[in-house]
Amino acid sequence: MTPQSTTPQFMMDMTDNVLGDNYISRLSNVESMKEALISMIAQSVGKDPAFATKQDWFYALGFMLRGLLSQLYIKNTRTQFIEDSRRVYYLSMEFLPGRSLIKTLLDLDLLNVTREALDALGQDLDELETIEHDPALGNGGLGRLAACFLDSMAAHGYPGFGYGIRYDFGLFSQSIENGQQVEHPDNWLRQGNPWEFRRPDTVYPVGFYGRLETVVDARGGETSKWVGAENVIAMAYDMPVSGYQNGNVTNLRLWTARATDDFDLRHFNQGDYIKSVEDKTSSETLSKILYPDDSTLTGQELRLKQEYFFVSASLQDIFARFLRRHDNLDQLPEKVVIQLNDTHPTLGIVEMMRLLVDEHGYDWATAWDMTRRTFAYTNHTLLPEALERWPASMIERLLPRHLQIIYRINAEFLKTVEKAFDGDADKIRNLSLVNDYDHSIRMAHLAIVGSYRVNGVAALHTELLRGRVFPDFDAMYPGKFVNITNGITPRRWLLQSNPALAGLITEKLGSGWPIELTQLSHLADYVEDADFRKRFSDIKKANKERLSKMIEACMGLRLDPTAMFDVQIKRIHEYKRQLLNVLHVVTCYNRIRDGEWDGVPRVVIFAGKAAPSYYMAKKVIHLINDLATVINNDPLVGDRLKVVFIPDYRVSLAQVIIPGSDLSEQISTAGMEASGTGNMKLALNGALTIGTLDGANIEIKDAVGEENIFIFGLLANEVQTLRNDGYYPFSYYNGNPELKRALDMIGEGHFSPGDRGRYSSIFDSLLHGGDHFMVLADYESYIAAQGRVDVAYKDQDSWTRMSIHNVASMGGFSADRSIHDYASKIWEVKPLKP
């Protein structure tokens, strides 16, 4: 063995011709694919193909595809290593990728040959797909956006890399029992995960607690040293993420928590078996569930520990990766950008300072300059309660060195504030990282101060961030705030979810649209083509029939697929105003029973989860299910109105609901929704939007045209003015007989005859509680807009025209466009050659 044979470059040269896409091309015929699958069953699954179960075949296929992705990923990372390209590290507490099987087959252009090979082996690919459990790594839009962005980075060759937590049980699995949400552990890893690689050699210690000692640094000055910390081990799991038919693969690295010792042998030998594994159980709790209940101090502490665990492991890993190619960290800001997806990873700024100063010997000024040139921050909320704040006392107990660093960052920052605003005490108080009233640390403030760029996620959202939420920061840092409107990946949300419509589009436009979605604009040329409209309409009908069959199988409710499918699928939250939708349902119910109904048959479909400790959101779910029980069993109503709450909303379920939807409910209080992406997914699949001018609805309206969307309600500035001038819900309640009747029926127990006071809290929140989200203020406008929906739906040919216009106008809402914007406006990275 020569010294050269141990170098990375020697091994690259030796193995480069073995790796790559040659093996993929050899699988492009049915016989080769059959042979590969049979070999996988025997060699990787360890089963005799003659006795293999459907789950065995699924794992064989998954393992084979994982191997192909790994080969491609190695080639991609070698290119990045050789070119020393600038890399993006995307830090997110949530990733919601959905099932990987069909996506990966599409990306590798192996879908058809695999289907044929499996058919020859007596297996059905569609059945195998259902075996895969949705990864429980996220909750809603934040996690799904992160997954879309990784997909787009891979699709366009950007050198990106995701970091998150490998939750054992995710958020929760939702069931509906007696009309109420019941949470169960989502044990998505019970049968294993064929897409991941366990990395027991990639581990980092993450410390908590301990104390500070004053020591003399290398320059002779005094500094603090964090000692006596209790360590948890972060171990990596990698999930490759494929790009669309371009040979690019990026990676999602997820951290799982492990104890430094599996058990205490001393306690074990003494017979105290519980005590012997106590530390292991406590340590590994960090990666058990997503968003532990933060209504208790213990839950809050666990959540803060999760956030630090995640960013500390990620920063240590980023540094280690950088130092493979460089002798020191001096050039880190030129070669690395770390994107914070909301405030959850903000402690990463403080951790980078700790690592640079305490572990790598940089002086404070140099370290702070490097840190501020490395991080960028995406804000996702306008709600004050969603802007994270942590008690300083809690941080001091868990992370004493980090609190000290935060205080120093704040002290030096406030000096610049004082100078910039001539000592204005109000400005200093508003901009401080520390809230004087409750002595909490404002994480959004820290993210802004510690980042070189901050972006909102829709035009209105960014405008409100700058003008209402952080106006002093905007004045302090001109040009720091930019807008990048969110987007969705068309590969998941059209090509995969709606293959019939995707096929029609490909027939008319060619095969380039999945990677360049603006090509959809040419569909407008077919709006007046009667044959195209009929085929488009037939596809929607078939998708509605598929959704109807799924609902019947899941819930035992038979639906008429010719009815309008009116859909609101999103996290259950008061600002998203499922209650406004409920009030419309009750109004329709009353009109039908009164013989005054002139609308079209309608199926109102809800899906979404409420946070376990969110009392009012869980009440809304209960109310929806009670409505369904009464309305769906009323013979006077019949098929004219149905209400459905589909439990356990997840990506794979959305891929069935969205293509079968006619009407998309995007009805949040104006000025509350940052962007929304469900609005984009539904419009991309031909659903028409009824919505307020909130979030990305504004940009969707501009794209599709006012004649192809149903807009209602107060504007964001009108909401603010009404609040400032005094909002009196009773004036709306007393001034609209239909509204009063609907609210009284809810409050007096018409839909809960066995418990008349069940929904008094909802009634009281809307009237006596001030109706913070202005449900009553927008009711009349919403009902009028729903009337316009009914009129439009009666003319099915016209509705189809509007639907085609919506699909044709969605090119600007691709996650690819978002990623190109991030690359040019924030990251300053370029795609690598495939």
Side-chain angles (χ1 to χ4, degrees):
M1 180 184 294
T2 64
Q4 291 85 356
S5 66
T6 63
T7 65
Q9 188 60 56
F10 175 85
M11 190 55 66
M12 287 183 191
D13 294 339
M14 287 291 292
T15 59
D16 197 53
N17 63 334
V18 179
L19 299 169
D21 58 0
N22 294 332
Y23 187 61
I24 296 175
S25 64
R26 292 201 296 272
L27 292 174
S28 60
N29 67 79
V30 173
E31 287 305 314
S32 296
M33 180 62 76
K34 285 168 55 181
E35 291 175 8
L37 288 170
I38 291 169
S39 295
M40 278 288 163
I41 283 281
Q43 296 174 10
S44 296
V45 181
K47 288 287 188 74
D48 182 340
F51 300 98
T53 65
K54 293 186 183 301
Q55 182 165 294
D56 295 331
W57 286 106
F58 164 70
Y59 276 93
L61 181 53
F63 288 143
M64 183 190 75
L65 294 174
R66 183 187 67 172
L68 299 179
L69 296 182
S70 180
Q71 287 184 316
L72 292 171
Y73 176 66
I74 290 169
K75 291 208 69 160
N76 293 163
T77 54
R78 285 184 176 183
T79 300
Q80 293 178 31
F81 183 87
I82 292 167
E83 296 186 5
D84 195 18
S85 55
R86 181 170 166 87
R87 299 184 190 183
V88 178
Y89 295 102
Y90 196 85
L91 271 59
S92 179
M93 283 286 284
E94 295 186 40
F95 286 91
L96 210 56
R99 294 170 175 166
S100 295
L101 181 59
I102 301 300
K103 168 191 159 46
T104 306
L105 289 170
L106 283 167
D107 287 345
L108 298 179
D109 200 16
L110 293 174
L111 181 63
N112 293 332
V113 69
T114 302
R115 189 181 296 278
E116 291 180 35
L118 285 169
D119 186 62
L121 292 167
Q123 301 298 318
D124 186 316
L125 178 60
D126 295 330
E127 290 182 6
L128 299 191
E129 181 194 10
T130 64
I131 292 171
E132 184 176 0
H133 201 302
D134 284 43
L137 299 171
N139 176 22
L142 186 76
R144 184 52 236 172
L145 180 78
C148 281
F149 280 2
L150 281 189
D151 177 85
S152 289
M153 281 189 244
H156 291 276
Y158 288 108
F161 197 101
Y163 282 107
I165 295 179
R166 183 181 180 266
Y167 302 103
D168 292 350
F169 299 105
L171 187 68
F172 58 83
S173 175
Q174 178 197 58
S175 66
I176 302 299
E177 300 176 18
N178 298 317
Q180 301 181 73
Q181 171 179 292
V182 178
E183 302 95 19
H184 308 276
D186 189 354
N187 194 4
W188 70 285
L189 291 167
R190 182 175 58 251
Q191 303 294 338
N193 178 14
W195 307 105
E196 68 184 9
F197 290 96
R198 184 173 179 266
R199 305 295 190 193
D201 57 335
T202 303
V203 294
Y204 300 99
V206 179
F208 296 99
Y209 307 109
R211 67 189 186 280
L212 297 179
E213 291 183 352
T214 302
V215 297
V216 177
D217 63 22
R219 288 174 291 277
E222 287 191 351
T223 187
S224 293
K225 183 179 181 181
W226 186 15
V227 298
E230 300 175 11
N231 283 338
V232 174
I233 299 300
M235 186 176 75
Y237 282 77
D238 287 344
M239 289 179 63
V241 179
S242 51
Y244 181 66
Q245 298 184 5
N246 64 354
N248 284 318
V249 176
T250 188
N251 189 55
L252 172 58
R253 175 157 287 179
L254 302 171
W255 300 107
T256 190
R258 294 288 182 264
T260 51
D261 296 303
D262 283 341
F263 67 95
D264 188 315
L265 187 61
R266 179 171 55 86
H267 287 299
F268 183 85
N269 289 335
Q270 292 172 353
D272 193 344
Y273 306 123
I274 294 176
K275 186 70 175 176
S276 70
V277 296
E278 185 176 74
D279 288 345
K280 173 180 171 64
T281 302
S282 175
S283 297
E284 296 181 2
T285 299
L286 284 177
S287 56
K288 288 294 182 190
I289 62 170
L290 168 68
Y291 299 149
D293 182 358
D294 59 1
S295 62
T296 66
L297 194 62
T298 302
Q300 292 171 20
E301 186 171 295
L302 177 56
R303 186 162 172 173
L304 178 60
K305 290 176 76 173
Q306 276 187 333
E307 292 184 3
Y308 176 65
F309 165 79
F310 153 52
V311 299
S312 177
S314 301
L315 263 294
Q316 291 181 70
D317 194 53
I318 290 168
F319 279 23
R321 293 170 63 84
F322 186 83
L323 290 171
R324 288 180 202 160
R325 185 67 170 76
H326 302 86
D327 295 330
N328 54 53
L329 297 168
D330 292 356
Q331 286 188 295
L332 188 82
E334 285 72 42
K335 296 295 184 179
V336 166
V337 56
I338 301 174
Q339 186 70 42
L340 305 175
N341 192 29
D342 218 351
T343 55
H344 309 127
T346 301
L347 280 172
I349 292 169
V350 191
E351 176 68 355
M352 181 166 171
M353 286 296 295
R354 185 191 72 84
L355 291 171
L356 289 174
V357 173
D358 294 359
E359 304 295 334
H360 293 274
Y362 285 86
D363 65 85
W364 177 274
T366 301
W368 183 236
D369 175 69
M370 292 171 66
T371 299
R372 290 191 67 193
R373 290 191 292 120
T374 299
F375 283 91
Y377 161 53
T378 301
N379 175 280
H380 284 281
T381 184
L382 296 164
L383 301 179
E385 64 270 22
L387 293 171
E388 283 191 309
R389 298 204 314 261
W390 292 108
S393 58
M394 183 181 293
I395 298 177
E396 184 174 35
R397 184 171 64 258
L398 293 177
L399 304 166
R401 176 61 171 144
H402 295 74
L403 183 66
Q404 188 180 58
I405 292 171
I406 290 171
Y407 281 160
R408 181 167 177 182
I409 292 171
N410 192 47
E412 298 194 1
F413 168 63
L414 291 183
K415 290 178 185 176
T416 64
V417 173
E418 185 175 16
K419 183 177 181 181
F421 294 106
D422 296 325
D424 187 320
D426 288 337
K427 299 290 187 187
I428 293 171
R429 185 166 49 250
N430 291 339
L431 289 169
S432 175
L433 309 188
V434 182
N435 186 325
D436 289 339
Y437 297 108
D438 59 7
H439 209 60
S440 61
I441 306 302
R442 297 160 163 163
M443 303 309 285
H445 287 48
L446 176 58
I448 293 169
V449 172
S451 299
Y452 68 89
R453 194 76 76 240
V454 178
N455 73 281
V457 292
L460 175 63
H461 172 238
T462 304
E463 177 187 327
L464 294 175
L465 274 183
R466 297 178 60 194
R468 182 189 300 176
V469 183
F470 300 120
D472 293 336
F473 277 112
D474 188 49
M476 182 88 182
Y477 299 121
K480 176 175 275 197
F481 288 81
V482 298
N483 178 63
I484 299 180
T485 299
N486 284 343
I488 58 173
T489 169
R491 276 81 60 185
R492 169 76 62 174
W493 295 111
L494 182 51
L495 185 66
Q496 182 179 341
S497 301
N498 200 341
L501 180 57
L504 178 61
I505 294 170
T506 299
E507 177 188 320
K508 298 299 182 182
L509 304 184
S511 60
W513 64 267
I515 207 71
E516 183 46 72
L517 199 63
T518 56
Q519 293 180 17
L520 290 187
S521 63
H522 297 295
L523 289 179
D525 299 338
Y526 296 93
V527 170
E528 298 307 320
D529 184 327
D531 179 67
F532 182 85
R533 290 200 307 275
K534 183 180 185 307
R535 293 174 65 188
F536 186 96
S537 179
D538 287 345
I539 290 168
K540 176 63 73 173
K541 181 181 177 183
N543 286 328
K544 291 173 69 176
E545 289 171 349
R546 178 179 65 155
L547 174 55
S548 299
K549 289 177 182 176
M550 185 273 288
I551 290 172
E552 184 174 6
C554 173
M555 308 180 67
L557 180 63
R558 183 168 294 180
L559 302 175
D560 176 7
T562 65
M564 180 201 301
F565 282 15
D566 175 356
V567 172
Q568 189 173 18
I569 46 174
K570 52 185 75 242
R571 179 165 52 97
I572 310 299
H573 196 291
E574 288 169 279
Y575 89 85
K576 294 180 183 289
R577 298 203 296 189
Q578 283 88 359
L579 271 178
L580 184 57
N581 195 346
V582 163
L583 288 172
H584 173 246
V585 170
V586 177
T587 301
C588 292
Y589 172 68
N590 288 335
R591 288 179 180 179
I592 291 171
R593 288 185 58 84
D594 294 343
E596 298 176 358
W597 173 254
D598 62 352
V600 298
R602 188 184 292 238
V603 177
V604 183
I605 298 172
F606 296 88
K609 296 178 180 180
S613 61
Y614 194 168
Y615 170 83
M616 191 59 69
K618 295 175 82 168
K619 271 293 180 189
V620 170
I621 291 175
H622 199 177
L623 174 57
I624 291 168
N625 283 292
D626 277 350
L627 278 179
T629 299
V630 172
I631 293 172
N632 296 348
N633 293 289
D634 190 327
L636 289 177
V637 175
D639 285 339
R640 287 180 288 181
L641 181 63
K642 296 291 184 187
V643 179
V644 183
F645 187 96
I646 305 175
D648 207 25
Y649 185 55
R650 55 199 183 277
V651 173
S652 58
L653 191 59
Q655 289 180 227
V656 178
I657 297 173
I658 288 171
S661 301
D662 293 308
L663 186 67
S664 165
E665 298 272 355
Q666 308 298 329
I667 58 177
S668 55
T669 312
M672 294 287 182
E673 185 72 82
S675 170
T677 52
N679 45 9
M680 304 170 190
K681 295 162 194 165
L682 284 151
L684 181 64
N685 282 272
L688 304 189
T689 301
I690 182 168
T692 53
L693 288 177
D694 193 28
N697 290 355
I698 298 170
E699 291 153 85
I700 290 175
K701 181 209 53 138
D702 293 341
V704 305
E706 292 186 5
E707 67 279 10
N708 296 309
I709 193 171
F710 303 95
I711 296 297
F712 74 94
L714 297 168
L715 304 177
N717 64 310
E718 293 172 335
V719 168
Q720 193 65 35
T721 299
L722 186 56
R723 281 212 180 98
N724 294 340
D725 292 347
Y727 171 49
Y728 304 102
F730 270 100
S731 64
Y732 295 90
Y733 170 76
N734 292 319
N736 190 310
E738 284 195 307
L739 172 59
K740 185 178 188 300
R741 182 182 178 188
L743 275 173
D744 287 346
M745 290 172 70
I746 293 170
E748 294 170 4
H750 180 88
F751 300 102
S752 53
D755 182 5
R756 293 286 180 180
R758 180 175 294 167
Y759 301 115
S760 59
S761 58
I762 290 178
F763 182 89
D764 289 342
S765 73
L766 292 175
L767 290 171
H768 304 290
D771 184 21
H772 181 72
F773 299 102
M774 299 199 173
V775 172
L776 307 193
D778 274 348
Y779 169 84
E780 186 173 350
S781 177
Y782 179 57
I783 297 299
Q786 289 284 14
R788 298 196 300 274
V789 170
D790 280 321
V791 170
Y793 195 77
K794 288 176 182 177
D795 184 346
Q796 277 293 289
D797 199 44
S798 175
W799 185 276
T800 300
R801 283 182 167 88
M802 297 168 72
S803 183
I804 295 169
H805 272 298
N806 269 259
V807 177
S809 303
M810 284 299 107
F813 297 95
S814 170
D816 300 346
R817 187 269 313 148
S818 300
I819 288 301
H820 292 321
D821 284 351
Y822 274 98
S824 61
K825 294 182 180 180
I826 297 178
W827 298 337
E828 297 180 3
V829 296
K830 294 181 179 180
L832 297 175
K833 185 178 179 181

